[in-house]
Amino acid sequence: DAKTTQPTSMDCAEGRAANLPCNHSTISGNEYVYWYRQIHSQGPQYIIHGLKNNETNEMASLIITEDRKSSTLILPHATLRDTAVYYCIVGVQHGSSNTGKLIFGQGTTLQVKP
Amino acid sequence: NAGVTQTPKFRVLKTGQSMTLLCAQDMNHEYMYWYRQDPGMGLRLIHYSVGEGTTAKGEVPDGYNVSRLKKQNFLLGLESAAPSQTSVYFCASRRQSSYNEQFFGPGTRLTVL
C-alpha cells in the first residue's frame, strides 16, 4: 500500500472551510484514497473515499489531483465538533480479494477555533 | 442497532496475567479487525478475520491470539500480559462487498503494570 504524508497539525476558524492536504505520490492505479477521522478518545470514523474523480457527501468533499499524487479533504463549514485527527489512507478498495487492512499514519490534528 | 461494542471499557492487569477482550457487532459484517493505538500514534492492525472460523495476522500480532467462533464476535486474547501491551484497543467491522468503510467500536483502555 502506498505511503501518505500529511501535515502534523492545522488550525481553522469556526464556520470557515478546512482544507486538509495529503500527498500520496507512490499511489498505484487500483488504489483508492480514504479519509477517516478520530475525535478524542473515540474510535475512528469513515468520512469519504475516492479513486480519480472528486467526491462529495454530507460530511465532506474530496479533491484528487489529475495525476492522483495528492488530494485535499474539504470540510466546507468547520464546527468545533470537527476538531479531531484526520487520517488519509491509501489502499485497494473492495471485493473478496481485499482484506481491507487500513494502514494508519499519524494524521493531521485539526483544531477548530471559535 | 448498537453497531460495534467492546467489553470491557477499561482494565488494569499485572504483568503475566491473561485476559480476553470481546468485540461484538450486530450489522452482520463478514470482516472484523483488532487494532491497537499507542499514545500519539496511529492505529496498528493486530489480527483480522474475513469470516467465521478464519483469522489472520496483521502488523503487530506477537503476544496476541484471536478467535472468531461466531460471525458477530471477535475475541482478542492476551495470554501473558506485558507492560508493552499497555494501549487502547479498537475493534472494527465491515461488509465484505462494500468499499472499505470500517465501523469502529469505542475502544478498550488496557494498562499492564
Side-chain angles (χ1 to χ4, degrees):
Chain A
D1 293 328
K3 181 179 168 61
T4 62
T5 304
Q6 298 178 252
T8 302
S9 63
M10 294 181 64
D11 290 341
C12 176
E14 188 178 19
R16 305 296 295 268
N19 297 281
L20 290 88
C22 179
N23 286 321
H24 32 78
S25 59
T26 60
I27 192 170
S28 58
N30 65 342
E31 288 184 312
Y32 286 70
V33 180
Y34 290 88
W35 283 83
Y36 279 74
R37 75 179 182 183
Q38 186 175 23
I39 295 171
H40 182 62
S41 297
Q42 298 181 20
Q45 175 191 24
Y46 165 87
I47 302 173
I48 198 167
H49 76 285
L51 180 65
K52 297 180 189 177
N53 300 322
N54 298 338
E55 302 288 345
T56 296
N57 63 20
E58 65 278 3
M59 288 182 69
S61 294
L62 175 60
I63 308 298
I64 302 174
T65 57
E66 193 168 341
D67 64 7
R68 302 210 321 124
K69 293 185 177 182
S70 66
S71 60
T72 301
L73 178 75
I74 301 172
L75 308 178
H77 305 287
T79 70
L80 298 178
R81 288 178 295 180
D82 291 321
T83 292
V85 179
Y86 287 78
Y87 297 100
C88 170
I89 302 168
V90 172
V92 177
Q93 189 182 4
H94 62 266
S96 59
S97 62
N98 169 31
T99 56
K101 291 184 284 184
L102 293 174
I103 310 291
F104 286 82
Q106 293 192 280
T108 296
T109 299
L110 175 68
Q111 181 73 46
V112 180
K113 299 187 173 180
Chain B
N1 190 338
V4 179
T5 58
Q6 293 183 231
T7 309
K9 290 186 169 52
F10 302 93
R11 186 73 187 268
V12 178
L13 289 178
K14 293 182 180 177
T15 297
Q17 288 185 317
S18 63
M19 78 162 294
T20 300
L21 282 67
L22 170 63
C23 176
Q25 52 95 4
D26 61 2
M27 297 173 282
N28 202 34
H29 287 171
E30 291 83 7
Y31 290 9
M32 296 186 74
Y33 307 85
W34 275 108
Y35 295 88
R36 62 175 286 175
Q37 185 173 35
D38 299 327
M41 306 289 289
L43 282 72
R44 291 184 292 169
L45 182 64
I46 305 171
H47 285 281
Y48 64 98
S49 168
V50 299
E52 185 178 322
T54 71
T55 63
K57 295 180 180 179
E59 293 177 79
V60 289
D62 293 343
Y64 305 95
N65 56 75
V66 287
S67 64
R68 182 101 182 266
L69 299 179
K70 294 183 178 180
K71 186 176 184 180
Q72 64 268 34
N73 295 338
F74 195 27
L75 278 63
L76 178 71
L78 287 73
E79 289 187 348
S80 179
S84 61
Q85 294 177 305
T86 293
S87 191
V88 180
Y89 293 84
F90 290 101
C91 175
S93 71
R94 65 172 272 249
R95 288 200 318 264
Q96 175 184 343
S97 58
S98 80
Y99 52 86
N100 205 345
E101 178 181 5
Q102 295 188 16
F103 293 82
F104 284 81
T108 293
R109 188 173 297 273
L110 175 66
T111 301
V112 182
L113 302 175

